[in-house]
């Protein structure tokens, strides 16, 4: 191996000439040129120099860079796309480390450490710096995904942060691998040989230019093509080419839709109509359905009131069902318009989504774009025949459907109820609540008292099935002056009620309890006591019977004397019988005379 350092130390032309004799003439010149170039190279660490491959083995190539010793370059620094290195090839390498007073360089075969790959990177960087500046637009291929963003090859590898990939960050930035992208140079760090680029800033700048141009030429009523960029529950945002417009869900179709995804999808290209422009706020309202004819035009002519039409149930709510008559035309069947007879608690009891039914048009609101529909109107109303089926005085059988404080509702047939009022349950009993007589689900026979077809009401009676005992039976059975037995059923501050027979009660006034003044009736009798009392009077108009306890043992003379005293006290005319009985029902005066009628 030639010691070039020794040769450099010799400045004698004769020696150089002698050396030239050692090689053929054509090689001496080449050697001299190389030797001169080597003289010009800077051999400090971090510099790039040219060298010639002088030896190759399985792992490395020995490169002579004209220094006092050679250096090695690993064969793995030649890429698969490069030609295989061979002896004599000239390569540019980076001097990574040199021998100094601290020791030899980190190279087992030489005194200097070399790198071909790093030299190429530095050369690429320096060439790139001659053509690239901050703010410049560059084009490159995305080569791989790294932490925080993407690596893009623009001649050198540069960093594209994930936040700068697009205006809206993609779900997976890895989808950009292999794509050619344009971006703006944000920052150049020459020390670290690092470049940061932004595709987003380039898009935003372009969109701002497009937005300005678009707002100038955009007009209400125009048909525009756009790309669906985002979808929300209330609508979709459509990119018109620099500015987004809102396509509200209510402007997507004339018919009802549940969600915008039923009509559009992300990245779909659609034609829309410009409905409104707010140039100050740069907001645009778009419509899809407005491109087609409004089906509500001439709605009153197409669907006149009382006309019948087939339809499909498209939605069921607690208050009714929505029925589609044609695309874009829907109406509401209120729950009250579903059946003449059935008591509908929820529309789902009669219809379900997808059912095909017939409806009648009840009302049309063209401005509000609303139709009022009816289902029951397509069927015969059973109340039309109620007078014929349920005439007054007819005895009918029904089932107790419901009990209220004032009576019971009796179902005569499905949807046809009659009211049995509490006052029409018994001739004699004072019924406080229908549950004292009836129970829910019980079948009973009643009589039709009256029918109000217009108000759809039927009045029923239970007691009317029997004759009124107050018309003869009770007055015949209970005569004034008669002694009867009964049971104390209730005690009040004004007197005591005595049960005489099933449901029939008489009033024992507090003044008729004893000869002395009674402050508390319970001092004399208790509920449940069986006592004998005297009938004082029977009032068929008021349906009341007056009783007395203190007069049970009175003689006829005592009765006459008491009657006369009471007559004189109350100023009753002398035409009344002296033997008349009074009391029992308060101060109403005598009703039925006792004793002689002469």
């Amino acid at each position: 191996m030639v010691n070039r350092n020794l040769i450099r130390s010799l400045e004698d032309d004769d020696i150089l000439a002698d050396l030239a004799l050692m090689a053929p003439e054509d090689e001496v010149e080449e050697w001299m040129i190389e030797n001169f170039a080597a003289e010009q190279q800077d051999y400090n660490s971090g510099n790039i120099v040219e060298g010639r491959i002088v030896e190759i083995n399985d792992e490395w190539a020995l490169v002579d860079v004209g220094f006092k010793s050679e250096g090695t370059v690993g064969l793995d620094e030649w890429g698969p796309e490069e030609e295989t290195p061979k002896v004599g090839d000239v390569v540019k390498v980076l001097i990574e480390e040199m021998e100094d007073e601290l020791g030899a360089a980190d190279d087992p075969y030489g005194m200097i450490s070399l790198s071909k790959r790093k030299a190429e990177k530095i050369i690429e960087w320096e060439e790139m710096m001659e053509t690239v500046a901050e703010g410049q637009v560059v084009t490159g291929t995305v080569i791989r995904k790294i932490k925080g963003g993407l690596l893009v090859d623009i001649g050198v590898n540069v960093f594209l942060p994930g936040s700068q990939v697009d205006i809206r960050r993609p779900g997976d930035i890895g989808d950009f691998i292999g794509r050619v992208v344009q971006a703006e140079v944000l920052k150049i760090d020459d020390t670290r040989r690092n470049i940061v680029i932004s595709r987003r800033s380039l898009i935003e700048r372009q969109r701002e230019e497009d937005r300005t141009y678009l707002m100038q030429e955009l007009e209400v009523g125009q048909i525009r093509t756009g790309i669906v960029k985002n979808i929300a529950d209330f609508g979709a945002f459509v990119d018109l080419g620099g500015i987004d417009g809102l396509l509200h869900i209510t402007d997507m179709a004339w018919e009802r839709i549940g969600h915008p995804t039923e009509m559009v999808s992300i990245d779909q290209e659609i034609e829309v109509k410009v409905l409104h422009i707010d140039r100050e706020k740069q907001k645009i309202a778009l419509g899809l359905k407005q491109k087609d004819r409004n089906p509500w035009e001439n709605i009153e002519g197409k669907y006149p009131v009382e006309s019948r039409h087939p339809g499909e149930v498209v939605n069921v709510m607690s208050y009714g069902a929505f029925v589609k008559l044609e695309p874009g035309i829907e109406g509401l069947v209120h729950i009250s318009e579903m059946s003449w007879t059935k008591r509908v608690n929820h529309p789902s009891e009669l219809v379900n989504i997808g059912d095909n039914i017939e409806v009648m048009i009840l009302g049309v609101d063209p401005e509000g774009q609303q139709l009022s529909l009816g289902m029951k109107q397509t069927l015969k109303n059973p109340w039309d025949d109620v007078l014929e089926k349920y005439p007054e005085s007819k005895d009918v059988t029904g089932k107790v459907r419901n009990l209220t404080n004032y009576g019971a509702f009796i179902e005569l047939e499905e949807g046809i109820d009659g009211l049995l009022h509490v006052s029409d349950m018994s001739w004699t009993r004072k019924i406080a609540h229908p549950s004292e007589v009836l129970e829910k689900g019980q079948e009973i026979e009643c009589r039709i008292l009256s029918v109000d077809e217009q108000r759809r009401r039927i009045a029923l009676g239970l007691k009317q099935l029997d004759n009124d005992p107050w018309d003869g039976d009770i007055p015949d059975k209970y005569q004034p002056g008669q002694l009867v037995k009964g049971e104390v059923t209730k005690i009040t501050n004004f007197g005591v009620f005595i049960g005489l027979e099933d449901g029939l009660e008489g009033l024992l006034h507090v003044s008729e309890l004893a000869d002395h003044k009674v402050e508390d009736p319970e001092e004399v009798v208790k509920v449940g006591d069986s006592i004998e009392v005297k009938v004082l009077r029977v009032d068929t108009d008021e349906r009341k019977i007056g009783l007395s306890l203190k007069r049970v043992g009175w003689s006829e003379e005592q009765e006459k004397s008491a009657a006369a005293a009471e007559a004189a006290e109350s100023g009753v005319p002398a035409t009344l019988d002296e033997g008349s009985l009074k009391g029992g029902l308060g101060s109403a005066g005598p009703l039925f005379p006792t004793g002689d009628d002469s």
Side-chain angles (χ1 to χ4, degrees):
M1 183 180 295
V2 178
N3 190 331
R4 290 182 173 79
N5 289 314
L6 177 60
I7 294 175
R8 292 190 190 93
S9 67
L10 300 176
E11 297 181 356
D12 193 324
D13 292 339
D14 292 337
I15 295 177
L16 293 175
D18 290 340
L19 288 173
L21 294 173
M22 297 170 61
E25 183 178 353
D26 55 343
E27 294 182 7
V28 170
E29 183 177 357
E30 182 182 348
W31 187 88
M32 293 296 288
I33 293 172
E34 290 179 1
N35 184 69
F36 178 76
E39 289 285 350
Q40 307 303 314
Q41 296 194 114
D42 186 351
Y43 293 98
N44 292 319
S45 296
N47 289 335
I48 296 174
V49 297
E50 281 191 349
R52 183 183 295 275
I53 298 175
V54 295
E55 184 181 341
I56 296 177
N57 64 18
D58 293 339
E59 298 181 4
W60 43 259
L62 190 64
V63 179
D64 179 10
V65 295
F67 195 55
K68 57 186 178 180
S69 65
E70 293 84 358
T72 60
V73 177
L75 294 182
D76 59 355
E77 294 201 25
W78 274 265
E81 72 282 355
E82 296 184 88
E83 293 183 4
T84 303
K86 57 184 181 295
V87 175
D89 287 352
V90 176
V91 295
K92 289 185 178 183
V93 292
L94 173 69
I95 299 175
E96 294 189 283
E97 193 175 1
M98 298 184 64
E99 180 185 30
D100 56 21
E101 65 275 7
L102 298 178
D106 188 15
D107 189 327
Y109 303 102
M111 302 180 67
I112 57 177
S113 178
L114 306 176
S115 173
K116 169 180 174 292
R117 182 178 296 150
K118 291 181 179 179
E120 291 173 344
K121 295 292 184 184
I122 292 173
I123 292 170
E124 289 175 353
W125 174 263
E126 291 175 347
E127 291 175 350
M128 182 61 64
M129 288 303 95
E130 294 178 0
T131 60
V132 174
E134 290 182 358
Q136 185 176 337
V137 177
V138 295
T139 303
T141 303
V142 180
I143 54 178
R144 69 174 182 270
K145 181 179 177 180
I146 60 176
K147 184 178 180 181
L150 299 170
L151 204 60
V152 181
D153 181 9
I154 64 170
V156 295
N157 291 342
V158 296
F159 179 55
L160 174 57
S163 62
Q164 299 298 316
V165 172
D166 207 337
I167 295 175
R168 301 181 184 88
R169 182 160 181 165
D172 183 8
I173 59 175
D175 294 339
F176 279 79
I177 295 176
R179 288 176 54 178
V180 176
V181 297
Q182 279 193 321
E184 180 183 358
V185 177
L186 289 185
K187 182 180 179 182
I188 298 176
D189 188 340
D190 196 40
T191 303
R192 298 182 179 180
R193 295 191 179 95
N194 182 32
I195 297 178
V196 179
I197 62 174
S198 172
R199 181 172 176 267
R200 175 178 176 173
S201 65
L202 187 62
I203 295 173
E204 287 178 340
R205 187 169 62 191
Q206 183 62 48
R207 282 177 64 86
E208 184 61 35
E209 294 175 0
D210 294 342
R211 184 181 294 112
T212 302
Y213 173 76
L214 185 62
M215 290 300 291
Q216 291 175 349
E217 67 168 11
L218 209 60
E219 297 293 341
V220 172
Q222 288 179 341
I223 301 296
R224 289 276 180 168
T225 300
I227 305 294
V228 178
K229 289 299 183 183
N230 195 16
I231 296 177
D233 290 339
F234 55 84
F237 291 93
V238 181
D239 182 2
L240 299 177
I243 188 169
D244 286 352
L246 174 61
L247 174 59
H248 198 270
I249 186 172
T250 57
D251 290 312
M252 288 185 172
W254 291 110
E255 58 187 320
R256 183 188 303 268
I257 61 172
H259 196 270
T261 50
E262 297 177 24
M263 297 295 297
V264 297
S265 57
I266 296 291
D267 294 330
Q268 179 184 355
E269 183 177 279
I270 60 173
E271 277 192 345
V272 289
K273 188 173 185 177
V274 179
L275 304 181
H276 178 72
I277 302 173
D278 186 338
R279 299 186 188 278
E280 184 178 344
K281 296 181 179 180
Q282 293 193 337
K283 291 185 177 180
I284 303 172
L286 305 174
L288 194 59
K289 70 181 184 182
Q290 287 79 2
K291 292 169 47 186
D292 302 323
R293 183 186 62 82
N294 185 350
W296 285 88
E297 293 177 3
N298 192 32
I299 190 68
E300 292 174 297
K302 291 171 60 179
Y303 298 100
V305 173
E306 295 188 358
S307 61
R308 297 186 181 189
H309 304 273
E312 178 187 356
V313 179
V314 293
N315 199 10
V316 177
M317 308 296 289
S318 60
Y319 53 84
F322 288 93
V323 179
K324 180 174 72 174
L325 303 183
E326 65 174 80
I329 301 295
E330 293 179 10
L332 173 65
V333 180
H334 193 267
I335 190 171
S336 62
E337 305 296 345
M338 289 188 163
S339 175
W340 293 113
T341 58
K342 291 183 178 179
R343 287 169 290 278
V344 184
N345 296 313
H346 193 277
S348 58
E349 297 174 11
L350 296 180
V351 295
N352 294 296
I353 293 176
D355 287 354
N356 292 312
I357 62 173
E358 186 181 25
V359 293
M360 178 179 285
I361 307 296
L362 303 182
V364 181
D365 180 4
E367 292 185 5
Q369 296 188 351
Q370 294 178 346
L371 289 178
S372 177
L373 308 176
M375 288 171 51
K376 68 184 183 182
Q377 288 79 4
T378 63
L379 305 172
K380 183 176 177 58
N381 184 355
W383 280 91
D384 293 342
D385 300 329
V386 74
L387 282 175
E388 182 180 343
K389 292 179 66 175
Y390 302 104
E392 291 185 13
S393 301
K394 180 180 179 180
D395 294 341
V396 294
T397 301
K399 182 183 293 185
V400 178
R401 184 179 63 81
N402 195 21
L403 299 176
T404 68
N405 291 331
Y406 53 84
F409 286 95
I410 311 299
E411 184 179 53
L412 304 180
E413 62 178 73
E414 187 177 27
I416 303 294
D417 287 350
L419 174 62
L420 174 57
H421 196 271
V422 66
S423 63
D424 289 312
M425 291 184 178
S426 174
W427 289 113
T428 57
R429 289 183 59 181
K430 301 295 182 183
I431 300 172
H433 194 276
S435 58
E436 299 175 14
V437 180
L438 305 171
E439 60 182 23
K440 198 172 181 179
Q442 177 183 352
E443 281 198 4
I444 62 169
E445 186 178 9
C446 300
R447 178 166 291 174
I448 305 294
L449 301 182
S450 64
V451 177
D452 187 340
E453 186 179 10
Q454 186 175 359
R455 300 172 68 187
R456 295 180 181 176
R457 292 181 180 179
I458 298 176
L460 302 175
L462 182 61
K463 69 183 184 181
Q464 286 80 1
L465 294 174
D466 301 319
N467 293 326
D468 186 355
W470 288 94
D471 287 342
D473 292 348
I474 292 177
D476 292 343
K477 187 174 181 179
Y478 298 96
Q479 298 291 325
Q482 179 183 349
L483 295 179
V484 294
K485 286 186 177 181
E487 182 178 322
V488 177
T489 57
K490 186 167 62 174
I491 298 176
T492 68
N493 60 350
F494 59 83
V496 178
F497 286 93
I498 308 297
L500 302 177
E501 58 182 72
D502 184 29
L504 180 62
E505 292 180 336
L507 174 61
L508 174 57
H509 195 268
V510 65
S511 62
E512 297 295 333
L513 279 172
D515 293 330
H516 62 276
K517 185 176 181 180
V518 178
E519 298 291 342
D520 183 2
E522 287 192 298
E523 296 176 358
V524 182
V525 293
K526 304 292 184 185
V527 172
D529 287 355
S530 181
I531 60 175
E532 186 177 44
V533 291
K534 179 179 285 188
V535 178
L536 296 184
R537 59 178 178 167
V538 178
D539 187 344
T540 56
D541 293 333
E542 295 292 331
R543 299 175 184 269
K544 295 179 181 179
I545 298 177
L547 305 173
S548 175
L549 179 60
K550 72 179 182 181
R551 304 190 193 202
V552 169
W554 282 15
S555 64
E556 186 175 342
E557 292 298 325
Q558 287 177 302
E559 291 286 1
K560 290 181 178 181
S561 175
E566 290 175 3
E569 182 180 347
S570 59
V572 177
T575 54
L576 289 176
D577 248 349
E578 294 182 351
S580 297
L581 289 175
K582 298 194 304 177
L585 296 177
S587 58
L591 291 176
F592 297 96
T594 59
D596 297 334
D597 293 331
S598 56

